[in-house]
Amino acid sequence: MSPAAPLPPASPPASTPAASRLLDWRVRFGVLALIWGFSFVFIKVGTEGFAPFQVTFGRLLFGTAVLAVALVVKRDRLPRGARVWGHLTVAAFLLNALPFSLFAYAELTIPSTLAGICNATTPLWGMLLSLVALSEDRPTRVRAAGLGIGFVGVLTVLGAWQGFSGVDVTGTALALLASLSYAVGWVYVRRTLSGTGATNLSLAGSQVGLATLQLAVVTPLFTSMPTSVEVLPLLAVIALGALGTGYAMLLQYGVVAEVGPTTAAMVTYFIPVIATAAGVTLLNEQLTWNTPVGALVVLAGAALTQSRRTPRRPATPFAPPTNDTPTHPVVGSTPAAKGTPTNPVAGSTPATNSTPALPVVGIRSARAERVGTTDGAPCRA
């Protein structure tokens, strides 16, 4: 099926002043980083009034509502074919329902700052998985060093030399599993949902909608209706869904289309910084020296795992030198064709979003650049 409403062109119209274009994408980039960074605070506040599954269901419900409105406005079509919908169902579980729920349960016992830092480990998990599932993407020495450095950063954040004292092991493990789920989900998406012909918005909206249905089934089985609804947790859940899962994804599309996936995916490295600042400032969470230092080491390792060899081009005396096609800064990715609209995340990132729905962060080939993503991603909450 051909897309009914393709993404905007990769570059803005020539009539738009250069300064305005630069300011425009930078503002949207900053807003995107703020939304995904604050998602961990929203989760923490939401769990003070609702059960974790209820927080996740509300997040997905409001996120689906925003994406549904966008689909109607753009007159986009839903994907077709039982095979595509089957793969979207699995992707919805791995990239939305599971990591969102794990982060919500994790923040019952760990601070939002730690959850945000755990979300930044998605690229590290992705590289480990690439060794097994993506044989065409073999690691270089630099990337292998980045994996080791990132692991040292995680141990620093957790205070391993102190025997992990003061850190809830269960909550931390759940947050790390959420980041692993993002990485597994992107391997699955890369292998199953490339070349569907549907737009990013159509696939992502359908995926988040399916995740909402999954939580609609699970939530009543494990939770009961709250006896009272507090205003602040309710507003946090609405913001988490409408902003962090819905509007942030639309912002992401615009940034990717304007400046490309390489620049847009740099938002992954701002998310844990913002999450830490928000948790300390708004929630009065305690911050010891090893947390920010370990976070910087994790980010440095994650950045190294995304490095790629730059192919050398033979010099030609009559043609001006050309820049190499920018590569997607995500584990297992390959260079995308210039001008191809892509989605770099999610909740990862990366992120998991709080993943986070990493996102963000996708693992894809050039042929897979049309596949939709979730917030979080990569490296998002």
Side-chain angles (χ1 to χ4, degrees):
M1 180 188 69
S2 60
L7 290 175
S11 58
S15 59
T16 305
S20 299
R21 295 200 304 266
L22 186 63
L23 178 62
D24 182 56
W25 83 259
R26 283 183 171 179
V27 170
R28 286 183 283 125
F29 182 94
V31 172
L32 184 61
L34 285 172
I35 290 175
W36 278 339
F38 272 83
S39 292
F40 297 96
V41 171
F42 294 150
I43 294 173
K44 190 71 171 181
V45 176
T47 54
E48 294 177 358
F50 300 97
F53 275 136
Q54 293 171 346
V55 172
T56 303
F57 174 68
R59 172 183 189 173
L60 291 168
L61 181 64
F62 289 109
T64 299
V66 172
L67 294 174
V69 171
L71 284 168
V72 172
V73 171
K74 291 179 176 292
R75 298 182 181 179
D76 208 343
R77 300 175 183 176
L78 294 178
R80 296 179 181 178
R83 174 182 172 278
V84 174
W85 280 96
H87 290 315
L88 281 172
T89 301
V90 177
F93 175 75
L94 293 174
L95 292 172
N96 298 109
L98 179 59
F100 289 1
S101 299
L102 288 174
F103 271 122
Y105 271 102
E107 291 202 38
L108 290 176
T109 55
I110 66 173
S112 64
T113 55
L114 180 56
I117 294 171
C118 289
N119 183 71
T121 64
T122 298
L124 304 179
W125 291 117
M127 182 182 167
L128 282 175
L129 292 173
S130 71
L131 299 178
V132 178
L134 302 172
S135 58
E136 73 276 13
D137 186 34
R138 310 313 298 176
T140 62
R141 291 181 179 179
V142 173
R143 297 179 65 201
L147 182 62
I149 292 173
F151 180 69
V152 171
V154 172
L155 295 179
T156 302
V157 170
L158 300 180
W161 64 91
Q162 300 173 345
F164 305 106
S165 60
V167 176
D168 184 80
V169 177
T170 301
T172 304
L174 291 177
L176 291 173
L177 283 175
S179 300
L180 173 61
S181 182
Y182 284 137
V184 173
W186 283 119
V187 172
Y188 183 84
V189 164
R190 174 176 177 175
R191 291 186 171 272
T192 61
L193 285 173
S194 61
T196 62
T199 64
N200 287 325
L201 177 59
S202 175
L203 289 170
S206 302
Q207 180 180 306
V208 175
L210 288 170
T212 304
L213 293 178
Q214 293 171 0
L215 263 295
V217 174
V218 172
T219 301
L221 300 178
F222 295 94
T223 65
S224 57
M225 292 293 294
T227 56
S228 61
V229 176
E230 299 180 21
V231 176
L232 191 58
L234 178 61
L235 292 177
V237 172
I238 294 175
L240 182 63
L243 295 178
T245 308
Y247 180 62
M249 189 175 297
L250 300 178
L251 279 176
Q252 179 192 23
Y253 291 154
V255 174
V256 170
E258 187 166 341
V259 299
T262 300
T263 302
M266 291 299 294
V267 70
T268 302
Y269 302 107
F270 290 89
I271 293 174
V273 177
I274 295 174
T276 300
V280 172
T281 303
L282 300 179
L283 302 180
N284 295 320
E285 294 179 346
Q286 299 298 317
L287 190 66
T288 56
W289 69 268
N290 57 295
T291 301
V293 171
L296 291 176
V297 175
V298 168
L299 293 177
L304 289 176
T305 62
Q306 310 312 306
S307 63
R308 294 291 187 275
R309 286 195 181 99
T310 303
R312 294 183 179 180
R313 299 177 183 269
T316 56
F318 302 106
T322 57
N323 295 327
D324 292 335
T325 301
T327 56
H328 195 300
V330 196
V331 177
S333 65
T334 57
K338 185 178 181 181
T340 304
T342 65
N343 191 346
V345 181
S348 133
T349 284
T352 208
N353 352 246
S354 262
T355 177
L358 213 274
V360 349
V361 178
I363 304 175
R364 63 186 69 194
S365 61
R367 180 169 169 261
E369 290 290 356
R370 293 189 300 274
V371 178
T373 68
T374 62
D375 62 322
C379 298
R380 59 218 177 285

